[in-house]
């Protein structure tokens, strides 16, 4: 079974500052994928960044970077230069490892972290 | 990125009626779509995996007779909430995996907010 844990129900950050959102995971699968999604109040799920378990480098996408520490089973999201529009709920998720099977792509989500960016 | 569209985005219905929510992949084909349910400020909980041309696979605790899923084509899956009650009020969101990609990349619909009176 897979488990994703986000221990920060809410986080506050000043505009233009960096913020780290924590995510730890547990799985017995040797191959897995980790995702971060942003969910604004409108409800849509916006894909931010992806890290494969065998990727050697930490993933980066613009202002988003993923601090992947495999031994610690953590995949923290770092948002640099926060903007007011970054205020939203953020979810860490893990992909099922059954590559090619119908469950491939099934995601297990963490509890989410509500980020508030202050001006 | 690929586009997944859900309809309706909001629906209000009376208790006892059935409501159908559509999930369409607009520019790709998907043999597999996933339906999630989300309560306010809570996580997304997977309800079922919708498989084109075969029966859906439901997660433990999800009533298959209550939440009917049909995956009639490679671009359309529907979720029907039968005999809806106020406790079924929730945000329902689908995701789809493109047929021609093996990275596990998923695309989400905009979600459908159901309110049962």
């Amino acid at each position: 079974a897979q488990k994703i844990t986000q221990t920060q129900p809410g986080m506050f950050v000043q505009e233009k500052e960096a913020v780290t959102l924590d995510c730890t995971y547990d799985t017995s699968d040797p191959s897995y994928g980790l995702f971060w999604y942003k969910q604004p109040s409108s409800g849509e799920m916006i894909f931010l960044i992806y890290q494969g378990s065998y990727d050697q480098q930490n993933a980066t996408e613009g202002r988003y970077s993923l601090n992947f520490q495999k031994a610690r089973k953590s995949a923290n999201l770092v948002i640099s230069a926060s903007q007011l529009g970054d205020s939203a709920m953020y979810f860490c998720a893990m992909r099922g490892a059954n590559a090619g099977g119908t469950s491939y792509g099934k995601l297990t989500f963490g509890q989410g972290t509500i980020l508030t960016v202050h001006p | 990125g690929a586009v997944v569209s859900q309809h309706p985005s909001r629906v209000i219905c009376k208790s006892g009626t059935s409501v159908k929510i559509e999930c369409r992949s607009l520019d790709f084909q998907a043999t597999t779509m996933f339906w999630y349910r989300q309560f306010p400020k809570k996580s997304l909980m997977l309800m079922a995996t919708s498989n084109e041309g075969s029966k859906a696979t439901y997660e433990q605790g999800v009533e298959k007779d209550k939440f009917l899923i049909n995956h009639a084509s490679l671009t359309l899956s529907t979720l029907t909430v039968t005999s809806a009650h106020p406790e079924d009020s929730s945000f329902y969101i689908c995701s789809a995996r493109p047929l021609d990609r093996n990275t596990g990349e998923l695309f989400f619909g905009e979600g459908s907010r159901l309110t049962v009176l």
Side-chain angles (χ1 to χ4, degrees):
Chain A
Q2 300 181 326
K3 187 175 180 181
I4 293 279
T5 303
Q6 294 178 253
T7 57
Q8 306 157 314
M11 287 286 285
F12 296 88
V13 65
Q14 206 73 25
E15 194 178 10
K16 300 180 184 175
E17 298 289 315
V19 63
T20 298
L21 305 184
D22 294 341
C23 173
T24 57
Y25 61 90
D26 192 20
T27 181
S28 56
D29 293 322
S31 174
Y32 49 90
L34 295 157
F35 297 77
W36 276 94
Y37 286 90
K38 171 184 178 182
Q39 188 180 41
S41 56
S42 58
E44 61 191 299
M45 295 290 284
I46 302 170
F47 167 77
L48 296 179
I49 198 166
Y50 168 81
Q51 179 85 43
S53 58
Y54 290 118
D55 293 342
Q56 296 294 319
Q57 306 246 358
N58 285 347
T60 60
E61 289 285 348
R63 294 187 298 112
Y64 305 107
S65 60
L66 199 151
N67 184 1
F68 181 46
Q69 298 193 33
K70 196 170 183 178
R72 294 185 178 183
K73 293 188 175 181
S74 73
N76 298 340
L77 176 71
V78 180
I79 305 175
S80 62
S82 297
Q83 301 172 356
L84 295 179
D86 293 335
S87 294
M89 192 148 187
Y90 289 79
F91 288 100
C92 180
M94 173 179 284
R95 182 197 70 213
N98 183 16
T102 56
S103 64
Y104 193 70
K106 190 164 78 170
L107 294 181
T108 301
F109 284 87
Q111 303 92 321
T113 297
I114 298 175
L115 175 66
T116 304
V117 181
H118 288 304
Chain B
V3 178
V4 176
S5 176
Q6 269 184 253
H7 178 81
S9 58
R10 291 179 183 273
V11 57
I12 300 173
C13 69
K14 291 183 179 179
S15 188
T17 61
S18 294
V19 174
K20 181 186 285 187
I21 300 170
E22 293 185 346
C23 177
R24 290 183 186 273
S25 54
L26 297 185
D27 52 0
F28 65 93
Q29 294 183 326
T31 54
T32 306
M33 294 184 177
F34 302 91
W35 286 96
Y36 294 84
R37 182 176 183 175
Q38 185 183 27
F39 291 106
K41 297 202 187 321
K42 298 294 184 183
S43 186
L44 279 72
M45 301 301 296
L46 181 68
M47 298 174 66
T49 302
S50 174
N51 306 303
E52 189 271 335
S54 64
K55 291 182 180 180
T57 305
Y58 290 82
E59 296 299 302
Q60 193 172 9
V62 178
E63 299 175 60
K64 57 183 67 176
D65 295 331
K66 174 74 171 175
F67 299 100
L68 299 179
I69 291 173
N70 183 269
H71 198 142
S73 74
L74 288 172
T75 59
L76 174 65
S77 174
T78 60
L79 168 69
T80 301
V81 183
T82 62
S83 187
H85 288 93
E87 59 265 29
D88 298 325
S89 298
S90 190
F91 189 65
Y92 295 88
I93 191 164
C94 70
S95 69
R97 178 168 75 89
L99 183 61
D100 58 353
R101 304 184 200 182
N102 59 6
T103 60
E105 193 171 5
L106 287 175
F107 299 93
F108 282 84
E110 313 96 322
S112 299
R113 195 168 302 279
L114 171 63
T115 303
V116 185
L117 302 176

